[in-house]
Amino acid sequence: MIDTALDALDTPDRRNRHEPSWRREARLAAADWLAAHPMPTSRDESWRHTPAEDLVARLGTAEHPRTSFRLAAAQIDIMAGDLGGPRLVFVNGAFAPGPSYRRDAPGVDARALSEIGRTAASGPVLEPDRIDGFVALNALAADDGAVITVDARAAVAAPIHLVHVAAPDLDTCLATHPSTVVRIQPGARATVVESYVGFTGAALTNAATVIDVHDGAALSYHRVQTEAPAASHVGHVRIRAGHDATVTCTTVTLGATISRVAIDTSLVGDRSQLDIGGLYVPRGDERHDQVVTTEHVGSRTRSTQRFNGVVDDRARGSFTGRIIVQPGTTGTEADQTNHSLLLTATAESDTRPWLEILADDVRCTHGATVGRLDDEAVFYLRTRGIPEVRARQMLIEGFTSEILDTVADTALRDRIRSRLRAKHQPAEAGR
Amino acid sequence: MLHIANLTASVDGHEILRGLDLDLGPGEVHVIMGPNGAGKSTLSAVLAGRDGYEVSGTVTFNDADLLALTPEERAAAGLFLAFQYPTEIPGVGNMYFLRTAVNAVREARGEPPVDARTFLDEARDRMAELKMDPELLSRAVNAGFSGGEKKRNEILQMAMLQPDLAILDETDSGLDIDALSAVADGIERLRAPTRSLLIITHYPRLLEHVRPDVVHVLRDGRIVRSGGLELAHELEAAGYGPAQPTGIGRP
């Protein structure tokens, strides 16, 4: 499968492409890394709840997209929304200027790598001890990518929106490697939203995002995956926070048969804060896994991980929450919760707190619950005239609102809410 | 309005209601008193349609066979139960809940939904009458409410849903004097020639505010005495008396 990826790279337009040196170096480093390491298996600790072998097998048969696919802006408005700010659209990993919105946002530079060419400033380097085969493959095989820079002290109100569209062929599974780099310069404030959407059909999305939030900056980052039911999705988000930086991160997984999202964060600077919330709602035979790492490197840092799963039918929802407190730090606060709502007797959930506390001055809490819809609450709503199906839906929405309420952008929040509702409606109506 | 004949209810083979008869006319206020374990809460639960009971007998409500209806159909037919222990529902906003309930009942009756503005004005007026903190409208349903706030919230729902028959299950228990008078005023305000009330209580306190037409004593799963307000006072003075010897009153 790596051969397939390498083959895909070995085309004239790729060899001659005008990409910045950091990107070329990352490609070479990724190739070296892949030559020396195997792809993940479900025997790996952090892949325990994902059928990694199935994903790797699918990668082996998947093809690299070679043709472009034209989409209208209105179509993307429907699939991913128009959040009012600049929007960059990538279709099967390639930048699509047509449906993108070039809106003027002072202090924001949002461009595709293919537009920037060799002039791009320095970019992130591969971190060999923090990646896996999928991240390396993304670095190796990404066709294009988004590069977002928010200037120092800029306060950007409208969300910067990146949309990654999986547009599968009729009879072959396409593997795409969306890549995003976000830099929030010192003292800046911004909201970045990444939407992963797709058309019906088999597709494998292997996405990687690297975010640096520099000293005193504040970022809200929301990642919303609503790909087709037949899709597979692997996502990796790396976030580093500087001194006094504040980060709010939300990940919502609604689509794909197999989905694994890893959020790997480091509170590098003193007094940095990081709140990560997540929502996953697998149904049918879906497997949705979230692996979250928060590493406290600086002192007086504070973090939360709050993940809620709603699991229906025979699906399985998993959460691994890793908290690492490095030696020499003081005044660390870390809180973690994972609540699972199982809608059927065959639904499964896994919850795994994974704490590595290597310092003394730490206050760390974690809690997990697994439950079913409260019959008493269903009855209460029904006695007020609310039909049973609607009552159950309201309670599911109530359960998800703890996480959704952290999405400050109301348009985005309403959008996610209606997608959640749509996902649960058909099964409920059948009961 | 409500006609109950020979109603029995059991849980796991244990009979709680044992042939209960009751007739409630339009606009009437009936009170049910009785010792712990007499079946008072079971009666309200069975009338509202709670699962888990084996039920026999007949209950006719506004010409409908009540026992054949789902809980939501009973609400649409005009029945309301104010819970003894209102359920907390985290994450579901009180205003959203109230509006969904009002519109669900309207939809079931073939009426158009009430618009947001009209609804909000109405809810605020009713809350002011109940001396409720308007903030409670934007909180989750009953979540973290005090005992008194929960009971007022029940009366608020009743005021918004305008039922034909309201069953108040120990709505007065656990209230301080101010809360009791606010709740009692709320109930009194809903009295209408077409609206009946079935008040389940341990204490005659509430009856100082809401004058009943009939007082019933429920004991061992059936109505054993009925009378006027003086019966409530007599019970308060003398108690319900010793339990009846086992076997008496059984077929």
Side-chain angles (χ1 to χ4, degrees):
Chain A
M1 143 273 321
I2 294 161
D3 296 342
T4 317
L6 286 170
D7 286 349
L9 289 174
D10 195 25
T11 57
D13 63 310
R14 278 159 184 279
R15 278 200 305 271
N16 298 329
R17 88 169 98 202
H18 298 288
E19 60 183 9
S21 57
W22 59 267
R23 185 58 178 261
R24 183 167 294 276
E25 278 154 25
R27 274 187 212 284
L28 295 173
D32 288 348
W33 197 96
L34 282 166
H37 300 83
M39 290 300 281
T41 72
S42 49
R43 288 184 301 282
D44 295 350
E45 256 329 280
S46 73
W47 282 78
R48 195 197 280 181
H49 298 302
T50 299
E53 290 78 2
D54 293 357
L55 289 172
V56 172
R58 185 171 261 207
L59 260 182
T61 58
E63 292 191 9
H64 199 86
R66 285 162 200 279
T67 51
S68 61
F69 191 95
R70 292 178 69 87
L71 288 170
Q75 191 149 18
I76 302 299
D77 290 354
I78 293 165
M79 293 174 83
D82 175 3
L83 302 177
R87 181 174 81 185
L88 298 185
V89 179
F90 295 82
V91 180
N92 287 342
F95 179 55
S100 296
Y101 289 136
R102 301 294 187 171
R103 289 180 180 131
D104 192 39
V108 177
D109 182 8
R111 280 187 287 172
L113 260 182
S114 55
E115 299 177 294
I116 299 170
R118 287 186 177 149
T119 62
S122 63
V125 295
L126 222 56
E127 297 174 281
D129 54 342
R130 298 196 87 104
I131 63 170
D132 56 41
F134 284 91
V135 182
L137 195 59
N138 175 284
L140 180 67
D143 284 318
D144 204 338
V147 180
I148 313 291
T149 305
V150 178
D151 292 344
R153 287 172 301 284
V156 184
I160 302 159
H161 194 187
L162 305 174
V163 182
H164 305 280
V165 186
D169 274 354
L170 281 180
D171 40 27
T172 52
C173 174
L174 294 182
T176 63
H177 304 273
S179 158
T180 301
V181 176
V182 177
R183 272 185 296 246
I184 311 296
Q185 302 287 24
R189 314 180 67 83
T191 299
V192 173
V193 178
E194 285 202 272
S195 299
Y196 294 88
V197 300
F199 292 96
T200 306
L204 190 149
T205 301
N206 174 34
T209 298
V210 179
I211 299 173
D212 280 295
V213 184
H214 291 284
D215 297 353
L219 172 70
S220 291
Y221 171 73
H222 307 300
R223 184 186 203 280
V224 185
Q225 191 265 95
T226 55
E227 290 177 358
S232 305
H233 185 96
V234 182
H236 189 270
V237 180
R238 174 80 175 111
I239 301 177
R240 289 176 291 235
H243 293 298
D244 301 293
T246 306
V247 184
T248 304
C249 167
T250 321
T251 167
V252 179
T253 295
L254 280 161
T257 312
I258 301 173
S259 165
R260 180 186 189 269
V261 175
I263 314 271
D264 181 11
T265 64
S266 295
L267 291 155
V268 180
D270 293 341
R271 297 170 305 278
S272 50
Q273 298 190 25
L274 174 67
D275 295 298
I276 312 176
L279 202 54
Y280 46 102
V281 291
R283 55 176 296 199
D285 294 303
E286 292 168 352
R287 305 271 306 256
H288 290 177
D289 187 14
Q290 357 291 313
V291 181
V292 183
T293 304
T294 307
E295 180 195 26
H296 293 260
V297 183
S299 283
R300 293 182 299 290
T301 54
R302 194 191 59 72
S303 74
T304 59
Q305 298 177 358
R306 307 214 176 286
F307 278 71
N308 283 8
V310 181
V311 190
D312 203 353
D313 303 326
R314 302 158 305 280
R316 184 165 179 177
S318 312
F319 168 78
T320 299
R322 194 173 176 194
I323 297 172
I324 306 167
V325 182
Q326 295 293 7
T329 56
T330 59
T332 302
E333 289 184 32
D335 298 293
Q336 177 192 89
T337 56
N338 179 215
H339 301 299
S340 301
L341 183 59
L342 304 183
L343 299 180
T344 63
T346 48
E348 282 186 79
S349 80
D350 310 285
T351 179
R352 188 159 59 129
W354 181 355
L355 311 181
E356 297 169 42
I357 314 285
L358 308 171
D360 295 325
D361 184 10
V362 177
R363 194 192 57 74
C364 181
T365 66
H366 63 96
T369 61
V370 178
R372 304 193 179 278
L373 274 187
D374 180 359
D375 289 338
E376 193 57 38
V378 173
F379 177 64
Y380 187 75
L381 295 178
R382 292 178 74 191
T383 63
R384 271 46 180 161
I386 299 170
E388 185 177 6
V389 170
R390 183 88 186 88
R392 292 173 62 90
Q393 210 172 31
M394 282 174 78
L395 295 176
I396 293 170
E397 279 179 46
F399 179 78
T400 58
S401 70
E402 182 193 359
I403 305 300
L404 274 191
D405 287 350
T406 63
V407 177
D409 190 278
T410 49
L412 179 65
R413 196 171 60 223
D414 289 348
R415 193 172 181 84
I416 298 169
R417 192 165 281 144
S418 72
R419 289 301 172 103
L420 278 169
R421 203 172 287 167
K423 177 146 182 174
H424 277 289
Q425 205 136 31
E428 293 292 320
R431 287 209 170 92
Chain B
M1 153 116 358
L2 181 72
H3 173 74
I4 303 176
N6 197 25
L7 180 66
T8 71
S10 330
V11 175
D12 298 330
H14 176 67
E15 202 171 38
I16 302 167
L17 298 182
R18 299 170 176 175
L20 184 143
D21 301 305
L22 186 71
D23 273 293
L24 196 64
E28 290 181 1
V29 176
H30 288 214
V31 170
I32 293 185
M33 304 181 79
N36 289 327
K40 300 190 299 294
S41 285
T42 299
L43 175 62
S44 69
V46 166
L47 292 179
R50 185 189 289 276
D51 274 349
Y53 296 95
E54 300 130 54
V55 179
S56 73
T58 56
V59 180
T60 313
F61 173 57
N62 281 346
D63 301 326
D65 174 7
L66 190 74
L67 297 178
L69 304 180
T70 63
E72 54 268 36
E73 287 167 344
R74 297 179 197 204
L79 182 90
F80 180 88
L81 168 64
F83 280 55
Q84 183 180 2
Y85 303 108
T87 311
E88 299 197 9
I89 310 183
V92 177
N94 206 20
M95 180 159 60
Y96 174 58
F97 155 65
L98 264 177
R99 196 167 160 223
T100 305
V102 166
N103 282 334
V105 166
R106 292 179 67 91
E107 189 184 338
R109 293 174 182 165
E111 297 164 13
V114 60
D115 70 85
R117 186 74 245 166
T118 312
F119 171 81
L120 193 59
D121 289 347
E122 167 86 14
R124 286 197 174 132
D125 288 351
R126 298 289 86 79
M127 287 180 95
E129 287 169 357
L130 286 164
K131 300 181 177 68
M132 273 177 87
D133 181 356
E135 180 63 20
L136 294 178
L137 212 49
S138 40
R139 298 241 312 258
V141 180
N142 296 327
F145 285 25
S146 70
E149 286 169 341
K150 284 181 183 171
K151 296 300 177 79
R152 286 180 214 221
N153 204 32
E154 295 292 289
I155 303 303
L156 172 66
Q157 292 165 40
M158 177 167 86
M160 296 301 291
L161 289 166
Q162 297 275 327
D164 291 341
L165 169 65
I167 303 162
L168 306 170
D169 188 2
E170 300 198 23
T171 299
D172 53 342
S173 63
L175 296 182
D176 62 29
I177 292 168
D178 289 345
L180 179 69
S181 101
V183 163
D185 286 351
I187 296 168
E188 191 56 36
R189 215 172 285 114
L190 282 162
R191 283 189 77 161
T194 55
R195 181 169 298 128
S196 311
L197 299 176
L198 185 60
I199 298 173
I200 295 169
T201 183
H202 269 299
Y203 313 101
R205 264 198 322 177
L206 181 66
L207 310 182
E208 307 293 325
H209 301 266
V210 185
R211 306 288 272 185
D213 298 304
V214 186
V215 174
H216 304 279
V217 178
L218 177 65
R219 183 162 201 153
D220 296 324
R222 61 175 58 158
I223 304 289
V224 292
R225 278 183 78 185
S226 301
L229 182 58
E230 71 288 347
L231 178 54
H233 293 305
E234 181 196 320
L235 292 169
E236 189 181 29
Y240 297 109
Q244 290 179 4
T246 313
I248 293 186
R250 289 195 191 185

